[in-house]
């Protein structure tokens, strides 16, 4: 294998590993301010939303309302019932119904 490819892979591995390892190596202070604790608790949800929402709008270019309806159905069912399987199935069903109209 060429050395430049090995260096790229090693650099990517290091860039991925360091942000995950630093909090464990340094230790996380117990006295984190409340606003920072709330910010860190919603960070995964915000990142997931930023990754998923553009795909929802672009998944069906001819009918973007199908993706929006799928997300709305999943959110409504998850809010009312909880769980994972039923909201996902309701999302699939609502997008399918809109696309088949």
């Amino acid at each position: 294998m060429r050395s430049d490819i090995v260096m790229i892979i090693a650099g990517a591995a290091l860039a991925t590993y360091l942000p995950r390892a630093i909090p464990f190596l340094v230790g996380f202070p117990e006295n984190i301010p409340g606003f920072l604790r709330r910010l860190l608790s919603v960070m995964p949800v915000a990142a997931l939303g930023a990754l998923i929402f553009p795909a929802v709008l672009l998944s069906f270019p001819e009918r973007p309302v199908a993706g929006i309806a799928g997300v709305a159905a999943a959110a409504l069912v998850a809010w009312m019932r909880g769980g994972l399987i039923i909201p996902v199935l309701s999302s699939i069903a609502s997008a399918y119904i809109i696309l088949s109209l």
Side-chain angles (χ1 to χ4, degrees):
M1 187 180 288
R2 295 186 349 210
S3 64
D4 57 339
I5 293 176
V6 172
M7 292 303 292
I8 290 172
I9 293 172
L14 188 65
T16 302
Y17 179 73
L18 281 179
R20 296 176 188 192
I22 288 174
F24 292 108
L25 296 174
V26 173
F28 217 73
E30 295 297 321
N31 299 330
I32 298 175
F35 75 92
L36 186 59
R37 189 179 307 268
R38 285 190 302 275
L39 175 73
L40 291 174
S41 71
V42 298
M43 199 81 140
V45 177
L48 189 61
L51 290 172
I52 290 175
F53 193 71
V56 167
L57 296 177
L58 300 175
S59 58
F60 306 109
E62 67 280 355
R63 286 193 171 168
V65 71
I68 295 170
V71 169
L76 181 66
V77 171
W79 182 57
M80 294 175 69
R81 177 133 198 257
L84 181 67
I85 300 298
I86 302 300
V88 168
L89 292 176
S90 68
S91 174
I92 293 169
S94 66
Y96 178 76
I97 289 170
I98 288 180
L99 288 173
S100 64
L101 292 177

